[in-house]
């Protein structure tokens, strides 16, 4: 059993090793009863994080694991397996694992991977949109935009556009940023609400604004993470790049205003002092990642690093007890739709040890903290 130094990269490698020991690629949760690898964003964010760790340490076991998963999600004809419901092109969530294919494509330039990416991305041109041009989150949620949807489709679209010259797809992704920022911003906190229904038909929609009631931590985290990653593929001379950076700066400043006294961010971000609320590790990791990346790339003020480091340290301090060389993280909210979207709904969500939302977010955070610390030395 490997042990590593207690550094961001060391903890990330411990987390990768733990998951590889526990799960063959066909057993990665959630299984949904299929007993084989499924193409979903839980696995996508985790393996995206593992790829970042691989890029830092070049441990071939990690790249091999990712390759085997990519093989396992394809059928005998080399197409991505689809099942029912959210494991189909009828959801934005199904697109996010395309980022894993992008990671491999950038290493191999394999034409088959590009063909799979074409299937996942070009179909978004005809994906249902509301009257403003915003993606419905699912086919079954007419008009509704969910904040997490930017992470599910945005980075994938701008990456594919950079490979193929499909600027229309890049602009489609960028449009989602501005729509969400304009229509989903809570004027009191400066943060973004989880959902917006322009038609105001959803049970959770405010009759005046169409907004859902609360600021959910992981949805906010997905949004700033998406912008941080999309900026890598938006040209420096793009006419709206400066506006996108300004949105990110504004949101990070708002996030920093709601960092709790104990160091992490809470399930309902702007109500961390309210009864029953609790520190949630996946959103904390996503915020730290986005802050650290912005600091490293120069568009977030260096002073923000202190807050990111305090949150990172607190995540490490609150890891669950585990045998030597094993990694265990709790306080990660299970997959969460909006449903009624109330405060009580969010704070009573279950948590799962080493849930892939949290493991992926942790690997992303740790890899970015390692890069930032290396750049500082």
């Amino acid at each position: 059993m490997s042990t590593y130094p207690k550094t961001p990269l060391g903890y990330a490698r411990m987390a990768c090793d733990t998951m590889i020991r526990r799960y063959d690629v066909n057993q990665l949760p959630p299984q949904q009863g299929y007993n084989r690898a499924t193409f979903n964003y839980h696995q996508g964010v985790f393996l995206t994080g593992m790829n970042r760790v691989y890029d830092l340490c070049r441990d071939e076991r990690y790249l091999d694991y990712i390759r085997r998963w990519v093989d396992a999600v394809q059928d005998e004809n080399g197409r991505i397996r689809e099942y029912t419901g959210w494991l189909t092109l009828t959801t934005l969530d199904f697109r996010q694992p395309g980022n894993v294919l992008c990671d491999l494509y950038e290493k191999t330039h394999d034409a088959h991977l590009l063909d799979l990416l074409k299937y996942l991305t070009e179909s978004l041109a005809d994906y249902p949109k509301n009257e403003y041009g915003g993606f419905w989150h699912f086919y079954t949620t007419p008009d509704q935009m969910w904040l997490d949807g930017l992470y599910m489709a945005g980075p994938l679209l701008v990456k594919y556009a950079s490979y193929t010259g499909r600027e229309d797809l890049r602009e489609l992704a960028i449009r989602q940023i501005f729509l969400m920022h304009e229509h989903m911003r809570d004027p009191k906190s400066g943060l973004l609400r989880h959902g917006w229904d322009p038609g105001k038909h959803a049970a959770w929609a405010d009759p005046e604004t169409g907004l859902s009631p609360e600021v959910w931590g992981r949805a906010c985290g997905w949004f700033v993470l998406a912008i941080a990653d999309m900026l890598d593929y938006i040209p420096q001379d793009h006419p709206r790049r400066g506006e996108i950076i300004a949105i990110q700066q504004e949101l990070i400043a708002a996030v920093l205003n709601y960092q709790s006294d104990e160091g992490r961010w809470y399930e309902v971000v702007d109500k961390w002092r309210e009864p029953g609320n609790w520190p949630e590790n996946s959103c904390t990791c996503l915020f730290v990642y986005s802050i650290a990346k912005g600091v490293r790339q120069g568009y977030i003020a260096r002073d923000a690093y202190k807050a990111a480091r305090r949150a990172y340290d607190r995540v490490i301090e609150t890891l669950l007890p585990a045998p030597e060389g094993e990694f265990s993280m709790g306080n990660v909210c299970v997959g969460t739709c909006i449903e009624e979207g109330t405060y009580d709904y969010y704070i009573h969500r279950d948590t799962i040890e080493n849930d892939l939302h949290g493991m992926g977010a942790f690997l992303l955070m740790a890899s970015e903290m390692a890069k930032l610390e290396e750049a500082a030395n």
Side-chain angles (χ1 to χ4, degrees), residues 290-353:
S290 303
I291 294 166
K293 186 168 186 177
V295 168
R296 181 173 61 84
Q297 295 188 335
Y299 57 83
I300 298 297
R302 182 78 193 183
D303 288 350
Y305 172 73
K306 296 177 183 177
R309 182 72 207 199
R310 185 161 69 97
Y312 166 83
D313 287 342
R314 191 61 184 150
V315 170
I316 297 301
E317 290 165 0
T318 56
L319 293 174
L320 299 175
E324 184 70 20
E326 289 282 304
F327 182 93
S328 184
M329 184 171 71
N331 288 116
V332 176
C333 179
V334 296
T336 295
C337 296
I338 301 179
E339 298 185 24
E340 65 267 29
T342 62
Y343 178 77
D344 282 347
Y345 168 72
Y346 290 113
I347 66 168
H348 288 108
R349 298 296 289 162
D350 290 336
T351 63
I352 302 179
E353 176 190 348

Side-chain angles (χ1 to χ4, degrees), residues 4 13 15 22 26 64 68 212 228 268 280 291 306 321 327 377:
Y4 299 105
R13 296 195 66 184
R22 291 186 182 182
N26 280 303
D64 176 67
R68 287 190 288 114
S212 61
V268 179
E280 205 279 330
I291 294 166
K306 296 177 183 177
F327 182 93
N377 293 330

Side-chain angles (χ1 to χ4, degrees), residues 2-4 8-21 25 28 46-70 100 103-104 107 325 363:
S2 300
T3 58
Y4 299 105
L9 182 56
Y11 281 112
R13 296 195 66 184
M14 192 184 306
C16 288
D17 289 0
T18 296
M19 297 301 282
I20 288 173
R21 282 192 294 266
V25 294
L28 270 177
F46 168 62
L47 295 171
T48 301
M50 182 178 282
N51 178 72
R52 303 289 179 87
V53 178
Y54 167 78
D55 286 343
L56 291 173
C57 70
R58 297 292 169 173
D59 187 328
E60 293 298 326
R61 293 177 303 138
Y62 303 156
L63 186 58
D64 176 67
Y65 191 84
I66 293 167
R67 288 180 186 275
R68 287 190 288 114
W69 179 83
V70 170
V100 183
D103 291 337
L104 280 185
K107 291 177 170 63
L363 295 177

